[in-house]
Amino acid sequence: MSGISDQFTTIGVEAVAWGTKAATLTRGIEAETSSKPSPAVEQRPSTGMRPGFLGDPSDRHVVDVRGGTYSLACDLLSKSHSMLLGGLNTPVITTPGGATNARLHTITPSDHDLPSQTIHDGIALDSGTIDHINALGAKMTSLKLAVSPKGNVKVTADYSYRTLDTAAASVTPVYASAPYPFRDRDVTTTLGGTPICQRGIDLTIPTGAKVDRDMVCPGGREEPFVLGRVQPTGTLNQDLPSFDYLDAWLNGTPLSLVFYIEGPEIEEGFPYFLRVTYAAVRFTGEAPDRSMTELSGQTLPWQAFDNGTDPLWKIEYQTTDTAL
Amino acid sequence: MAGKSTHTYAGNPGYVHNLASGVVTLYPGDAVTLTDEEAESYGDTFAPAKKQTSAAPAADPEGATS
């Protein structure tokens, strides 16, 4: 017997070609219910004169589906999310020196190729059965992290997919046992080497995927690649400590920025963690906010810059997963 | 009729699998019985177990002395 409580989302890596279903599609992601595909459906009525039709003639109306987008949102877990984070680029997995069970998954930006993934949704019908759809050829366009006080660390992965298969074969999801959901208290933000407390954090890492490669050809749309400079951005939000950050904005001072989110230990000296490192960010501007009822605030929108030496950004995910 | 065969789990440690034979939490090296459909679905997460030969093993040179 199944029903709405049996709904799920899984993902898998397409190893053969863009849009060819992942051979293994069982990784449960524990996505929020808002996660769903948005097909890009073009409605193109023929606009020529045709006597006798008040409305658009149905037999001269073209419906053209040009892939679509998929927004996948979930809490960041200590296990099983390397494949999700790996939509940005394939992680390099290493065993830290001295560790037995801990594995470090390191992701840095790609300057061209992006992993292609299949996103599978199990959706409950009114009959109580679960039916299945696949978003094939999903390329990540951006990954967002957001943290609010008294909240968990939220991940939103936005994809552009190639085709939607509404008659997909069923999948049985696989889940990590006893994962740790990262939360606000686990986050340490270090700006310019100084730990700072935040009212809120958000960051967006765009892949730079060129997804609108629409062509005049039978396929209609070419595979997305990274075809331009990317501008990772985000916002810090804090009670106003001084005018130092205002001055840093006005002077264009580059600062390092690190978000370190630590969970329990896997083994002695090796905790679960996610670390996002930017070698150089610059504030893109806001003066302090004043209020008659709240402390003065400093909103700090920022953009990451390439210093020519370090990766534009780096994500490290330490977990017990030995593979994606 | 779906066949079954023994496989060795080669995936991430501590993952919960809802198999035809039951819900199990698996660690690398665990032996499990999969249906052919499951074996195909999970890909290289499971490695086929090495087939056992039905014949008796060849005489052990060390054992011959005992």
Side-chain angles (χ1 to χ4, degrees), chain A residues 27 80 172 175 177 320-323, chain B residues 12-18 42-43:
Chain A
R27 175 62 53 82
S80 80
T172 303
Y175 297 101
S177 60
T320 50
D321 294 344
T322 53
Chain B
N12 288 322
Y15 273 59
V16 181
H17 290 69
N18 189 357
Y42 289 114

Side-chain angles (χ1 to χ4, degrees), chain A residues 58-71:
Chain A
S58 60
D59 59 355
R60 285 158 175 75
H61 182 99
V62 175
V63 177
D64 186 17
V65 184
R66 312 288 284 199
T69 58
Y70 193 110
S71 187

Side-chain angles (χ1 to χ4, degrees), chain B residues 7-64:
Chain B
H7 288 68
T8 303
Y9 181 61
N12 288 322
Y15 273 59
V16 181
H17 290 69
N18 189 357
L19 302 174
S21 56
V23 178
V24 286
T25 302
L26 296 174
Y27 293 83
D30 288 352
V32 288
T33 300
L34 300 180
T35 64
D36 291 346
E37 189 179 42
E38 286 173 335
E40 185 181 345
S41 164
Y42 289 114
D44 56 9
T45 304
F46 293 89
K50 289 178 182 171
K51 288 186 177 176
Q52 301 291 318
T53 55
S54 55
D60 180 358
E62 292 179 7

